[in-house]
Amino acid sequence: MIIIQLKPKKEESLQRFHPWVFSGAIHRIEGKPTEGDLVEVLDSNRNFLAIGHYQIGSIAVRVVSFDNVPVTDDFWSRKIQWAYAMRKSLGLVAPGNNNTYRLVHGEGDSLPGLIVDVYDETAVMQAHSIGMHEIREVLAKAIVANVPEVKNVYYKSETTLPFKAAIEPEDGYLIGAETAQLTALENGLKFHVDWLRGQKTGFFVDQRENRSLLERYSAGKSVLNMFCYTGGFSVYALRGNAKLVHSVDSSAKAIDLTDKNVEANYPNDPRHASFAEDAFKYLNNLHTLDQKYDLIILDPPAFAKHREALRNALKGYKRLNAKAFEQIKPGGILFTFSCSQVVSKEQFRLAVFSAAAESKRNVRILHQLSQPADHPINIYHPEGEYLKGLVLWVE
Ligand code: SAH
């Protein structure tokens, strides 16, 4: 195995089990690693620290083991086994009620660079590192071997791997083939998941618990699900006996998907309507009290994907939330989210605070929301925390 020796003092974060080696920490590389190779990381005194996947870039090594053990097919299989055991013990594997969950959440499952979402019999796998891309076949076999419900593995990494790498990932089935689409169940609700054409792996599994909370607050309310995508929040609001649910997304495809999902659960329900429109345009057009809502969900796409975009992202969150404060009915409830990893909980809360102050309305925080248990945060890798939400009472 190729050896990477660190500069003095640069071993500290690895000794605290942080799973990344930054390129600036490297003293020398012995041999010529190809991207995706397994490498052994040593401290400046040549003591063993970790084994990881090598890649060119600011994160040079993603650690897969802090123990000096052989990284065999069985090694990967055991990791998948652990990931599945956790989901099962959390009650997420519940055929007939819930078969939609995240099986592998990268660093959170000690598998940096790998995301796997399960939709009934199909696992959708995304590699974010070359190392995981290289072993995709091994991982697919490990998934089918350890997750009894899964028969098909679809690989979807064309857009998630670094474009500079000299590989051309192709999306497609590594095991099995396309099956009937309407089989994903989340808390008893049906969803069409289009992993071929949809965003990410086809569905935002990470909002499951926040959708359940929304259901509890929906009875008798008029609900606006802004940035609805697949209509997840809308379907839960309908089940929660909302008086009316309006779903808005700028993408016509998202609106089609929302309509299909509402139809699958509540056919011909006159309480639901959907609109393919820009968020600001829609919110600006609510003029009378009658047009305003009791409950608004704001779940926009990540405004900042990189640190440089942070300032503008915070302005964006402030502007969007200010609009919602302006347009929500007295005694309304706002569910507001940020999924930008570079925006911290504190920064997001500050942006929402500024928006509230601008609106001069009396606002109370009812809940502070995060990502669900199948998106665990490795305690040694706080960067894994990305989803933040606030539930607010607006007087
Ligand atoms: N709430 C959804 C996920 C939202 S993803 C869920 O629970 O699954 C973000 C969505 O915002 C995407 O569907 C995208 O089409 C939509 N979007 C992006 N920009 C928008 C804009 N300016 N106005 C309205 N929708 C927008």
Side-chain angles (χ1 to χ4, degrees), residues 206-224:
D206 56 2
Q207 289 287 23
R208 180 181 52 245
E209 282 166 23
N210 303 332
R211 291 180 189 126
S212 281
L213 181 66
L214 171 96
E215 178 178 352
R216 274 172 43 199
Y217 291 151
S218 295
K221 300 208 167 79
S222 61
V223 177
L224 171 62

Side-chain angles (χ1 to χ4, degrees), residues 199 204 211 227-230 233 249-251 277-279 299 301:
Q199 302 176 43
F204 286 83
R211 291 180 189 126
F227 309 98
C228 63
Y229 184 33
T230 57
F233 283 104
D249 198 292
S250 58
S251 146
E277 213 173 302
D278 170 74
D299 184 23

Side-chain angles (χ1 to χ4, degrees), residues 186 191 199-200 202-208 211 225-234 248-255 258 275-282 297-303 320 337 339:
E186 187 185 87
F191 290 98
Q199 302 176 43
K200 306 265 173 90
F203 192 68
F204 286 83
V205 189
D206 56 2
Q207 289 287 23
R208 180 181 52 245
R211 291 180 189 126
N225 181 9
M226 182 54 79
F227 309 98
C228 63
Y229 184 33
T230 57
F233 283 104
S234 306
V248 178
D249 198 292
S250 58
S251 146
K253 271 196 219 148
I255 291 300
T258 292
F275 308 90
E277 213 173 302
D278 170 74
F280 282 98
K281 223 168 142 194
Y282 189 89
I297 302 129
L298 296 177
D299 184 23
F303 283 169
L320 179 65
F337 295 95
C339 60

